[in-house]
Amino acid sequence: MRKFFFLITVFALVLSCSSDETSTPVTPPAPIVKYTITLSAGEGGTVSTTGGEYEAGQTVSVTATPQGEYVFTSWSDGNTNATRTITIGSNSTFTANFEKRKYPLTLNIEGEGEVIEEIINAGRTTDYDSGTTVKLTAVPAEGWEFAGWTGAIESTELEVQLLVSEAKEINAEFSFICLTNEIEDYLLPSYETFKIRHPKDITQVNDRVEDYLHKYGTEKISLDYNKDGFMDFVTFKNDYEIEGNRDLIKFYLGDCEGNLTLDELNSNKFEGLVHGRKILLGDYNNDTYPDIFLIGHGWDKPPFPGEYPVILFSSESGIFSESRLTEFIGFFHGGASGDLDNDGDLDVILTTITQGKNAFTYLKNNGNGVFNEDININPFTNAQFPNVNQYENAFLNCELFDFNKDGDLDILFMSQYEGEEIIYGGLKNNYYSTKILYGNGSDFNGTQINLPLVEEWRQVYDADFYDLDGDGIEEIILNRIRDSYQGWFIQILKKDGEEYIDNTNKFIDINMSDSDFWNVWLEIRDYDNDGVIEMRNNIPKALKNDARFKLHEWELINGKLIKVN
């Protein structure tokens, strides 16, 4: 029994001790903290993981990978490593940024011009997003033309489109516009007679041309006689002092730059004129190559022996031949050529200013450049006025034009002296008037009208035709001078029914001068190809240093010629 109580006591003591130990507090473990990481890719790429929930302190590796023509630029937090390790410490969002590759487009310009495009300017290098389509437009400078694109694109179109997918280089080539003729003008008979002038103002391109033209001669004509597209020149010197002296004609071949080289094959083979007055240009032998018809009046002193015309025929080989029309001698001061009889070749009218000679000579072309005089076409030699051709008529010049639009050429005769009335056979006629003779395709014995006179300005030296007011009918512009050759007067005539009336004040602001000397030639056209019609007086080089002669220019503005120089 005692033993039992002893055991009970010991057990109680053990329990008591055990109870004392379990009553001591125990610290629990810290809770597990987790964060959400969001990983994404912007346009043009992907990321290796989109993130998730991670315990604090963990690390996550991620790689940003670009697609196609894109490149990785940075993460949204500024990190620029495509592959990175992120230590988890908070809820975070990371975005991988991508952008398209950029390629340089190098644009080179050869010649004078520009390339217009919405983003770049001509002549600089610019980077473009890959896949960008660039539109390029070539714009030539004045006097230049677009030759084509080379390099990354081959085209002659002014406007092209280019896909930029790699570094590219493009050349825009502009070429100088060569001084060309309108060759077609020579293939068919033309109303136009070419005065002593530069049809394309070659002197604006190369100042040396002026030296070439006038170093040896004062009579000159510009033409593309070998039909290579470049303007050539033919010239000879007048010799006024020695009777019968004729300078040898010189030929110059032109190139695209306006340079002239002496043509050894043709130069110094043909004699010019003693005193040349006008040069006509046309295909007189119908071989499609332009020929040169030289008109002159010879020694300018009594007894005024006169002079015969000369024709220079060009050919496919570039070698000229000549025809000296020695059977036709006169004091020829002017002339014009055109198909007067509608047979498909160019005939010639020559005007005479010496009394006792025919007022004009009509040379009919047989089609091969062989001419015969036809007196039946001349109204001043018909039976009605048998004596007129012998004594009273004198014309400085003439031009051919279809004034009444009937398809037949008419003649404008420019008088040397106006205002004296002559009576023959009881009929009164002003033979000294500047007049139009209307042609009918066979002769000029029909209708003729006298043009309005201008007191004191009795000589009409030159004429041109232009539709100044845009009504479809050309006005007549007359270049008048005094008998003394002092001063100049421009008269402008407008057609009114069957007549022409003086409308000078309507069409020109300043039309005369008493101070300087006479105007040699007048010409109206767009000289500088700027869309504005100009009228100028052309003065030969030999007279440009003469203070009496001055250059004048008008511009056609709202139907009126306004003097600008």
Side-chain angles (χ1 to χ4, degrees):
M1 191 65 173
R2 290 181 61 187
K3 187 176 181 178
F4 173 75
F5 284 107
F6 174 76
L7 291 173
I8 293 297
T9 301
V10 172
F11 182 71
L13 289 172
V14 171
L15 289 175
S16 175
C17 292
S18 177
S19 174
D20 291 338
E21 290 178 1
T22 58
S23 64
T24 303
V26 177
T27 302
I32 297 174
V33 179
K34 295 184 178 182
Y35 297 101
T36 299
I37 303 297
T38 302
L39 300 169
S40 63
E43 182 182 359
T46 61
V47 290
S48 58
T49 177
T50 57
E53 190 176 68
Y54 300 91
E55 293 182 5
Q58 283 188 292
T59 59
V60 177
S61 293
V62 61
T63 299
T65 302
Q67 295 175 324
E69 291 296 317
Y70 286 83
V71 293
F72 170 76
T73 57
S74 66
W75 294 92
S76 55
D77 65 346
N79 189 291
T80 57
N81 297 316
T83 299
R84 63 182 296 189
T85 297
I86 301 171
T87 299
I88 308 302
S90 63
N91 294 322
S92 302
T93 297
F94 299 90
T95 302
N97 298 317
F98 304 89
E99 68 178 23
K100 275 196 171 183
R101 297 179 184 274
K102 292 184 181 293
Y103 295 108
L105 175 62
T106 303
L107 185 61
N108 303 313
I109 292 181
E110 299 179 17
E112 294 189 16
E114 63 176 338
V115 175
I116 295 179
E117 196 269 331
E118 294 179 358
I119 301 175
I120 66 170
N121 293 320
R124 87 178 196 194
T125 302
T126 303
D127 289 346
Y128 292 88
D129 287 343
S130 177
T132 298
T133 298
V134 180
K135 184 175 80 171
L136 304 174
T137 303
V139 181
E142 182 177 350
W144 293 72
E145 61 186 353
F146 182 62
W149 307 95
T150 59
I153 190 168
E154 302 285 337
S155 175
T156 57
E157 298 293 326
L158 287 175
E159 182 180 295
V160 294
Q161 292 187 357
L162 177 70
L163 179 65
V164 181
S165 57
E166 59 183 350
K168 292 185 177 182
E169 184 170 351
I170 294 180
N171 304 310
E173 297 180 3
F174 299 92
S175 60
F176 177 72
I177 297 177
C178 296
L179 303 170
T180 60
N181 275 356
E182 294 296 332
I183 301 299
E184 292 77 7
D185 288 347
Y186 304 129
L187 302 185
L188 296 174
S190 170
Y191 300 168
E192 177 72 6
T193 56
F194 290 77
K195 302 170 187 174
I196 302 169
R197 67 189 188 192
H198 312 303
K200 287 258 182 177
D201 274 354
I202 191 172
T203 53
Q204 294 183 4
V205 179
N206 190 328
D207 292 337
R208 286 175 294 167
V209 171
E210 198 63 14
D211 295 330
Y212 276 115
L213 292 179
H214 301 289
K215 183 176 181 181
Y216 296 107
T218 54
E219 297 298 304
K220 59 189 179 295
I221 187 71
S222 56
L223 72 158
D224 179 18
Y225 63 76
N226 58 357
K227 291 173 68 171
D228 64 352
F230 308 144
M231 295 299 289
D232 311 310
F233 290 86
V234 180
T235 183
F236 65 93
K237 181 180 179 181
N238 283 327
D239 193 337
Y240 309 125
E241 299 301 323
I242 303 175
E243 181 179 2
N245 187 49
R246 293 181 171 89
D247 184 56
L248 293 176
I249 299 174
K250 293 178 174 59
F251 296 74
Y252 293 91
L253 291 168
D255 64 17
C256 187
E257 302 302 322
N259 301 306
L260 294 173
T261 304
L262 186 68
D263 181 353
E264 302 284 356
L265 293 177
N266 291 300
S267 292
N268 302 315
K269 290 171 56 178
F270 313 111
E271 290 184 340
L273 302 180
V274 175
H275 192 161
R277 289 305 313 173
K278 195 172 182 181
I279 303 178
L280 308 180
L281 185 63
D283 181 14
Y284 295 103
N285 59 358
N286 288 328
D287 67 350
T288 76
Y289 284 84
D291 309 313
I292 302 169
F293 197 107
L294 307 177
I295 300 173
H297 58 51
W299 201 36
D300 201 1
K301 292 182 179 180
F304 304 108
E307 188 163 18
Y308 55 80
V310 173
I311 309 176
L312 301 174
F313 294 107
S314 61
S315 66
E316 184 178 4
S317 66
I319 305 297
F320 275 84
S321 60
E322 70 171 354
S323 175
R324 309 189 78 83
L325 307 183
T326 55
E327 66 271 34
F328 307 114
I329 296 179
F331 201 84
F332 301 126
H333 196 273
S337 65
D339 187 7
L340 293 167
D341 51 7
N342 295 326
D343 63 352
D345 54 46
L346 293 175
D347 309 303
V348 175
I349 294 287
L350 303 174
T351 57
T352 304
I353 66 171
T354 302
Q355 293 183 355
K357 303 290 185 180
N358 286 345
F360 72 88
T361 299
Y362 169 62
L363 300 182
K364 178 177 172 54
N365 192 345
N366 72 355
N368 297 317
V370 176
F371 291 88
N372 298 296
E373 185 176 2
D374 185 348
I375 64 173
N376 295 319
I377 202 171
N378 190 333
F380 302 120
T381 61
N382 63 27
Q384 186 178 15
F385 306 110
N387 299 314
V388 175
N389 67 306
Q390 298 178 22
Y391 303 107
E392 303 301 340
N393 288 276
F395 294 119
L396 278 174
N397 199 0
C398 71
E399 294 289 355
L400 300 178
F401 196 77
D402 185 6
F403 292 98
N404 56 4
K405 310 293 185 183
D406 65 351
D408 297 318
L409 282 177
D410 312 309
I411 308 177
L412 170 65
F413 280 115
M414 290 161 261
S415 185
Q416 182 182 15
Y417 301 109
E418 291 185 337
E420 299 180 25
E421 294 180 327
I422 310 298
I423 298 177
Y424 283 104
L427 297 176
K428 190 176 183 179
N429 203 331
N430 193 336
Y431 285 102
Y432 282 94
S433 291
T434 292
K435 60 179 74 255
I436 295 174
L437 273 64
Y438 287 101
N440 55 25
S442 60
D443 59 44
F444 294 88
N445 292 311
T447 303
Q448 57 179 276
I449 61 171
N450 297 326
L451 298 181
L453 307 178
V454 179
E455 188 176 355
E456 294 187 30
W457 306 92
R458 299 200 305 162
Q459 298 193 41
V460 180
Y461 198 86
D462 184 29
D464 216 330
F465 318 106
Y466 197 85
D467 182 9
L468 298 171
D469 55 7
D471 66 353
I473 301 175
E474 290 82 3
E475 279 67 50
I476 300 176
I477 305 171
L478 298 181
N479 176 23
R480 290 181 172 273
I481 58 178
R482 286 196 178 101
D483 299 348
S484 64
Y485 294 92
Q486 182 68 38
W488 50 266
F489 187 101
I490 297 172
Q491 182 186 25
I492 301 180
L493 307 177
K494 182 172 181 60
K495 193 169 186 181
D496 183 14
E498 298 301 321
E499 300 293 325
Y500 278 89
I501 60 175
D502 193 322
N503 257 185
T504 301
N505 292 335
K506 174 183 176 181
F507 288 113
I508 189 169
D509 62 343
I510 299 175
N511 73 305
M512 65 172 292
S513 171
D514 284 312
S515 59
D516 51 301
F517 221 37
W518 53 296
N519 286 326
V520 180
W521 297 110
L522 278 181
E523 185 182 5
I524 182 168
R525 61 188 172 91
D526 184 1
Y527 278 82
D528 48 12
N529 297 316
D530 63 350
V532 178
I533 298 298
E534 297 96 7
M535 183 173 73
R536 297 178 183 176
N537 64 324
N538 295 319
I539 298 177
K541 177 74 170 183
L543 301 177
K544 284 184 179 179
N545 295 325
D546 190 329
R548 298 175 301 173
F549 292 91
K550 294 183 175 63
L551 293 172
H552 304 285
E553 180 178 352
W554 294 258
E555 290 185 353
L556 183 60
I557 302 174
N558 296 325
K560 189 166 187 175
L561 291 166
I562 306 299
K563 199 170 189 302
V564 295
N565 180 35

